[in-house]
Amino acid sequence: MLNTYYKNLTKENKRFAIHRIASKTDFTEETVKKVLQRYNPLMEIQENRIVINRNSYHKLVRELYKENILSK
């Protein structure tokens, strides 16, 4: 059950989440960090995997695309 927001994760788990999401979505880690701080979704780290709701993940990806377009 998801009960931890991104901002409440430990520093190590935040770095892990940023790295994994950036590698899976082909965005820079800086962009992912900026969007995660702004959006703050519920997520957890379980067995070296990021667990996030499907709808939240799709919204996160949409926000990443918007941020990527606006930064250019």
Side-chain angles (χ1 to χ4, degrees):
M1 183 168 189
L2 300 174
N3 56 8
T4 307
Y5 287 99
Y6 169 77
K7 290 184 180 179
N8 296 338
L9 293 174
T10 64
K11 287 184 180 186
E12 182 179 314
N13 285 344
K14 284 181 183 180
R15 282 187 302 218
F16 180 77
I18 290 168
H19 178 71
R20 292 289 291 201
I21 293 171
S23 66
K24 295 292 182 187
T25 58
D26 295 328
F27 289 104
T28 63
E29 290 187 7
E30 295 82 28
T31 305
V32 172
K33 182 178 179 181
K34 185 186 293 185
V35 172
L36 280 173
Q37 288 174 344
R38 185 174 65 231
Y39 180 50
N40 195 26
L42 279 170
M43 61 172 36
E44 286 189 10
I45 310 294
Q46 295 176 353
E47 299 175 5
N48 289 331
R49 292 177 184 250
I50 298 174
V51 179
I52 186 169
N53 182 290
R54 179 183 296 161
N55 293 332
S56 295
Y57 179 74
H58 290 300
K59 183 173 180 179
L60 178 67
V61 171
R62 281 195 309 267
E63 295 292 323
L64 285 167
Y65 277 111
K66 287 180 187 177
E67 182 66 33
N68 196 32
I69 290 172
L70 293 176
S71 66
K72 288 185 179 181

